[in-house]
Amino acid sequence: MRVIKCIAWAFAWLAAFVCATWAAGALHFDFPTGRAPAAILFVIVLVAAAIFLRERLLKLAAVFAAFAVVALWWLTLKPSNDRPWQPDVAETAWAEINGDDVTIHNVRNCNYRTETDFTTHWETRTVRLSQITCMDLAIMYWGSPWMAHPIVSFRFADALPLCFSIETRKTVGQEYSAVRGLYRQYTLIYIVADERDSIRVRSKYRHGEDVYLYRTLASPAQARVRFLEYVAAINSLRDHPRWYNAITTNCTTNIRTQRPTSQRAPWDWRMLVNGKADEMLYERHAIATGGLPFSELKQRSLINKRARRADKDPDFSRLIREELPGD
C-alpha cells in the first residue's frame, strides 16, 4: 500500500506540475497586459503555497485551484476574423452551393518570386460536384520525420484541382511557434488554393521542405462527400472563427473532426504525430500503392523534382503525378 500511495502522489504532483506550467504559459502568452509579470506572480504564489501550506493535500489543492482560475479566464478569450493578417492569409474562403454547382470565393493563387516575395491573387471559381473524379493527399515535411503538414486536393474532370490546407492564420509580424500553438495565439484558417500555389511554394520556394503526393482510394462519390465537408467547414469559419491549437485543433485533427462523429476514422496516435500519417493510411488500405512496399511507395511519391520541372506549365497537375501509383 505504501508503494501504491507513493505512485499516486507522484502522478498527482506530475499532473499539478503540468497544469501549473501550462497556466503560467497561458498568462505569459495570452494575458492582455503585463504578461511576463503576471506569469512570474503566478509562479511566486504557487511556490509560496508549496512552502507555507503544511498539508500535502492543501498544496495540491492550491495548485489545481490556481490552474482552474487561469483556465476559466483563458476559455473566455474569443477569436476574431478582423485583425491585420499577413497577405497570404488575408482572405477567408467561403462557398455557395446551387444544385450541382459550387462557387468558392477567395481561392488563393499567388504568383511567387520567393517564399516571402509574392503577389496574392484571390479568385472566384465554380466547380461541379458531379465532375469530382478523385481526392489526393499531399504531405509536406520540413525537418522532423515525425511532424508534417497535409493538404487534400480534389480533382475535377472539367476544372483545375482545388487544394484545402488547414493552417494557422498569422497576423503581420507573427511567426509560428509550436509552444505558442498550445495557447490562443493563432486562429484557424482553411486555405482554398490552386494546386500550383500550394505545391510550388513548398517544393520550389521553401528550402528544406519535401512534398509527397498520394492518390487516395476514395471513390468519386466519397470524394464528393469529403469535398462538401470542407465546404461546410469554410462557411462555418467565415462566420464563427475558431482558435488553432497544436494538439486539439490542428491541420490533421480537423480533417477527422469535421466529419460526423459516426463517420470518423478510428483514432490513431499517428493522427497527432502526423509525419507517420501516410504509413497509417497505407496500413488501412486508404491510398493507392501499386503493390509497392511502403518504403518504395514513399520514395516514388516524392514530387519535388517533378514540381520544379513542371513549374509554370499549364499541365502542372498532370506532370507532378507522373509515375504515381493509381494515376
Side-chain angles (χ1 to χ4, degrees):
M1 289 299 296
R2 182 175 296 177
V3 172
I4 293 174
K5 286 183 179 180
C6 287
I7 293 174
W9 277 109
F11 274 109
W13 277 110
L14 177 62
F17 176 77
V18 171
C19 288
T21 301
W22 178 89
L27 293 170
H28 176 71
F29 290 115
D30 293 334
F31 204 63
T33 58
R35 295 173 181 176
I40 292 170
L41 179 62
F42 177 80
V43 173
I44 290 173
V45 170
L46 291 188
V47 171
I51 293 173
F52 294 110
L53 293 176
R54 293 181 177 273
E55 297 292 331
R56 286 188 297 176
L57 198 57
L58 282 177
K59 296 176 191 284
L60 276 175
V63 174
F64 286 119
F67 162 75
V69 170
V70 173
L72 287 173
W73 155 76
W74 187 78
L75 291 171
T76 65
L77 299 177
K78 302 299 182 184
S80 170
N81 279 331
D82 186 18
R83 298 181 69 188
W85 304 112
Q86 294 183 12
D88 58 333
V89 292
E91 303 292 340
T92 54
W94 59 284
E96 298 172 291
I97 303 176
N98 183 17
D100 191 40
D101 293 341
V102 180
T103 299
I104 301 182
H105 304 270
N106 295 328
V107 176
R108 196 182 73 190
N109 189 12
C110 292
N111 178 25
Y112 293 94
R113 291 170 290 276
T114 69
E115 179 184 355
T116 56
D117 178 19
F118 53 86
T119 302
T120 52
H121 298 284
W122 301 97
E123 303 173 350
T124 296
R125 296 190 183 184
T126 298
V127 295
R128 291 188 292 170
L129 293 172
S130 61
Q131 297 302 302
I132 294 178
T133 58
C134 60
M135 179 177 73
D136 296 340
L137 175 67
I139 299 182
M140 290 75 178
Y141 297 82
W142 57 90
S144 170
W146 297 96
M147 299 306 297
H149 178 72
I151 293 179
V152 173
S153 181
F154 293 90
R155 287 198 281 165
F156 303 84
D158 59 352
L160 294 172
L162 284 177
C163 290
F164 289 79
S165 178
I166 304 172
E167 303 181 9
T168 56
R169 194 178 192 189
K170 297 183 286 294
T171 58
V172 174
Q174 215 176 20
E175 294 184 0
Y176 180 75
S177 159
V179 174
R180 289 178 178 271
L182 298 173
Y183 299 100
R184 300 202 151 173
Q185 291 287 293
Y186 313 108
T187 53
L188 188 74
I189 187 170
Y190 277 53
I191 293 292
V192 185
D194 184 271
E195 193 169 67
R196 189 194 311 274
D197 176 319
S198 290
I199 299 298
R200 284 178 71 233
V201 69
R202 291 171 168 88
S203 60
K204 180 175 181 179
Y205 296 107
R206 292 183 184 173
H207 299 294
E209 192 157 342
D210 292 328
V211 182
Y212 295 81
L213 185 61
Y214 301 95
R215 167 79 178 274
T216 76
L217 295 180
S219 68
Q222 291 170 329
R224 282 193 286 273
V225 171
R226 301 310 302 269
F227 181 81
L228 288 173
E229 290 169 4
Y230 277 96
V231 167
I234 63 175
N235 283 345
S236 175
L237 284 176
R238 184 190 183 212
D239 300 321
H240 306 286
R242 295 173 60 195
W243 292 112
Y244 171 92
N245 185 278
I247 294 177
T248 61
T249 313
N250 59 44
C251 61
T252 306
T253 58
N254 264 51
I255 295 176
R256 179 175 182 266
T257 57
Q258 71 189 11
R259 307 207 71 191
T261 304
S262 61
Q263 298 177 25
R264 293 175 187 173
W267 173 255
D268 190 291
W269 63 272
R270 289 168 291 190
M271 294 178 181
L272 188 59
V273 185
N274 58 10
K276 300 295 181 181
D278 51 357
E279 183 179 9
M280 176 189 71
L281 295 173
Y282 179 90
E283 292 175 1
R284 292 184 175 183
H285 307 290
I287 55 178
T289 67
L292 299 172
F294 177 71
S295 58
E296 188 175 342
L297 172 66
K298 186 154 189 170
Q299 184 178 6
R300 185 176 297 187
S301 299
L302 180 62
I303 63 166
N304 285 56
K305 290 182 179 179
R306 291 198 290 274
R308 292 189 194 108
R309 286 197 301 267
D311 198 21
K312 297 181 181 181
D313 194 302
D315 216 9
F316 178 86
S317 292
R318 183 188 64 81
L319 293 172
I320 63 174
R321 289 174 170 82
E322 286 183 341
E323 302 178 10
L324 289 183
D327 210 76

